[in-house]
Amino acid sequence: MKKYLQLAVILGSGTVGALLAQWLGLPIPFLLGSMAMSATVSLTTFSRTGERLWFPARLRHVFIAVIGIMIGTTFNADALNAASDLAITLPAMVLFLAIAQIVNFGIFRRIGGFDSVTAKYAAMPGGLIEAVSLGEKAGGDVEALSLQHFVRIVLVIVSVPLLFQLFTDEIVGSAAGKTLERAAAEWQDWMLFSVLVPIGIMLGSLLKLPAGPLIGPLVLTAIFQATGVIDLNGPDMLVSVAQLVVGSALGSNFARSTPRRLLSAFSLGVLSVGATLAIASGFALLLERAVPMTFEALLISFAPGGVTEMSLVALSLGVTPVLVTTHHLFRIILTVTVAGILTGRTNHIGKG
C-alpha cells in the first residue's frame, strides 16, 4: 500500500504540474510540468526519508515506447532522400561529440569538483538512463549523474524554444501548438500501438539497444512506416499521457536530493549546456554552407537533449522532423556505444 500511495502522489502531482504548465504556455508542458511538480513534491515531502521512491520500471518503459513509436511515425522517404546530406553532417557530429565531451569533462572535473569517473559520465551529451547505468558500473556517483543529466535535458528543452522565441519573436515547439500527430487516430491505430509497444520493447531488450524501450519501438515503427507496411497516426493525447508519466518518474528521483545539491547541479548545468550549445552553433554555422539545411535546423539537430521537443521545434520551423530525429538518435547511440566500450575496458582492466 505504501508503494502504491507513493505512485499515486507522484502521478497526481505530475498531472497538476502538467496542466499548470500547459496553462502557462510552456514548451513540452506535459513533460516539463510533470517533472517540475513531481520533483517539488518529492523534494519537500519525501526527501527526509532518504529512500528512493517506488515507480515501476515497466510502467515507465511502456510510455517511453509510446514516445518512440510516435517519433517513428515521422519517418518516410525523406530519410532516404537526405542520405547525401547525412553523409556530411553525421561525421561532423562525431567531432562535435568529442569536443563537447572534453569541454564538459573539464567543467565537471575542474569547476564541479567531481571525481574523474563521475565527471566523464556526467559529461556525456546523451543517454540519460545509459549514462547513469554505465557510470554506476564504473564506480561513479549515481545520484550526481542522475541529477546532472536530468538538468541537462530540462535546460535544453526549455532554453532552445525560448531562444528561438527571443531572437525570432516566434513561438516554436509544443508551446506553438505543434504536435507529432498527422491525422486523427482511428481504432486501427490504437490496435497497432498495442502491438508495437510490447514487440518494440522486446526487440530493444533482445538486441541490447541503447535506450532500448525508446529505440526498439522507434526503429520497428520507422521501418514499417518508411516502407509503407503501415500508416500509423499516433493520437496526440496518448503522447501527452506518456510524457506525463515519464516526467513524473524522472521528478521522483529528487526524493533523495537536497536544495543545495540542486542549486549546484543547475549551476553546473547552465555552464555545460551553454558551452555545448555554443559549440553546436559553431558547427551549424559551418555546416549550413555545405548542406541544404538552415542554421536553425542544424542547431536543433545538434542540441544535446529532448528528441521529442526538438522534433516539435523542427515542425514549427518547417523542417522535416525525420532529419532532426536521425541526428539525435545517432548522437545518443554513438555516445552510449562509445561509453559502453570504455566502461567494459575499464572494468576488465580493474579485474585484471
Side-chain angles (χ1 to χ4, degrees), residues 168-228:
T168 66
D169 200 31
E170 293 182 6
I171 299 175
V172 298
S174 54
K178 294 292 182 179
T179 74
L180 293 175
E181 185 177 32
R182 296 179 294 110
E186 299 181 359
W187 68 267
Q188 297 96 326
D189 298 307
W190 289 92
M191 288 294 294
L192 277 174
F193 263 91
S194 66
V195 172
L196 290 171
V197 165
I199 294 178
I201 292 175
M202 187 182 304
L203 181 67
S205 177
L206 290 175
L207 298 180
K208 297 183 179 179
L209 298 174
L214 175 73
I215 304 299
L218 191 157
V219 171
L220 183 65
T221 305
I223 292 173
F224 287 154
Q225 190 83 6
T227 55

Side-chain angles (χ1 to χ4, degrees), residues 52-344:
R52 190 183 299 274
L53 293 180
W54 181 73
F55 200 101
R58 288 184 180 180
L59 177 64
R60 181 164 51 87
H61 289 170
V62 165
F63 286 102
I64 288 176
V66 168
I67 295 174
I69 291 172
M70 199 67 177
I71 296 174
T73 62
T74 66
F75 279 71
N76 49 40
D78 291 340
L80 299 177
N81 297 333
S84 59
D85 298 332
L86 295 175
I88 298 175
T89 57
L90 294 186
M93 179 163 284
V94 176
L95 180 59
F96 161 74
L97 292 174
I99 295 173
Q101 178 72 25
I102 293 170
V103 171
N104 286 325
F105 177 82
I107 291 174
F108 293 116
R109 185 78 174 100
R110 303 297 180 185
I111 301 176
F114 289 5
D115 62 83
S116 59
V117 174
T118 303
K120 179 172 71 175
Y121 290 94
M124 283 175 57
L128 183 153
I129 298 172
E130 286 69 28
V132 175
S133 177
L134 293 172
E136 182 179 15
K137 291 180 181 178
D141 185 336
V142 179
E143 296 298 328
L145 289 172
S146 300
L147 190 55
Q148 214 57 65
H149 280 285
F150 174 84
V151 167
R152 170 179 61 82
I153 293 175
V154 170
L155 289 176
V156 171
I157 61 181
V158 172
S159 63
V160 171
L162 290 180
L163 285 173
F164 275 112
Q165 184 175 346
L166 178 65
F167 288 105
T168 66
D169 200 31
E170 293 182 6
I171 299 175
V172 298
S174 54
K178 294 292 182 179
T179 74
L180 293 175
E181 185 177 32
R182 296 179 294 110
E186 299 181 359
W187 68 267
Q188 297 96 326
D189 298 307
W190 289 92
M191 288 294 294
L192 277 174
F193 263 91
S194 66
V195 172
L196 290 171
V197 165
I199 294 178
I201 292 175
M202 187 182 304
L203 181 67
S205 177
L206 290 175
L207 298 180
K208 297 183 179 179
L209 298 174
L214 175 73
I215 304 299
L218 191 157
V219 171
L220 183 65
T221 305
I223 292 173
F224 287 154
Q225 190 83 6
T227 55
V229 176
I230 63 172
D231 183 20
L232 179 61
N233 293 313
D236 194 52
M237 178 184 69
L238 183 58
V239 180
S240 296
V241 173
Q243 292 176 346
L244 188 157
V245 173
V246 173
S248 298
L250 289 173
S252 67
N253 290 327
F254 283 83
R256 298 182 65 183
S257 189
T258 63
R260 183 177 180 180
R261 197 167 190 180
L262 279 175
L263 180 60
S264 174
F266 271 94
S267 299
L268 289 171
V270 168
L271 290 175
S272 174
V273 169
T276 305
L277 288 179
I279 298 169
S281 298
F283 273 84
L285 285 171
L286 292 174
L287 288 171
E288 70 172 337
R289 303 176 182 178
V291 297
M293 293 178 67
T294 64
F295 169 82
E296 292 83 1
L298 288 164
L299 179 58
I300 59 178
S301 294
F302 278 68
V307 180
T308 303
E309 182 61 19
M310 294 305 102
S311 297
L312 295 179
V313 173
L315 281 175
S316 304
L317 298 173
V319 179
T320 305
V322 64
L323 293 176
V324 175
T325 305
T326 300
H327 284 88
H328 282 286
L329 293 181
F330 180 78
R331 169 180 59 83
I332 294 171
I333 292 172
L334 179 64
T335 302
V336 171
T337 301
V338 172
I341 294 173
L342 293 176
T343 301

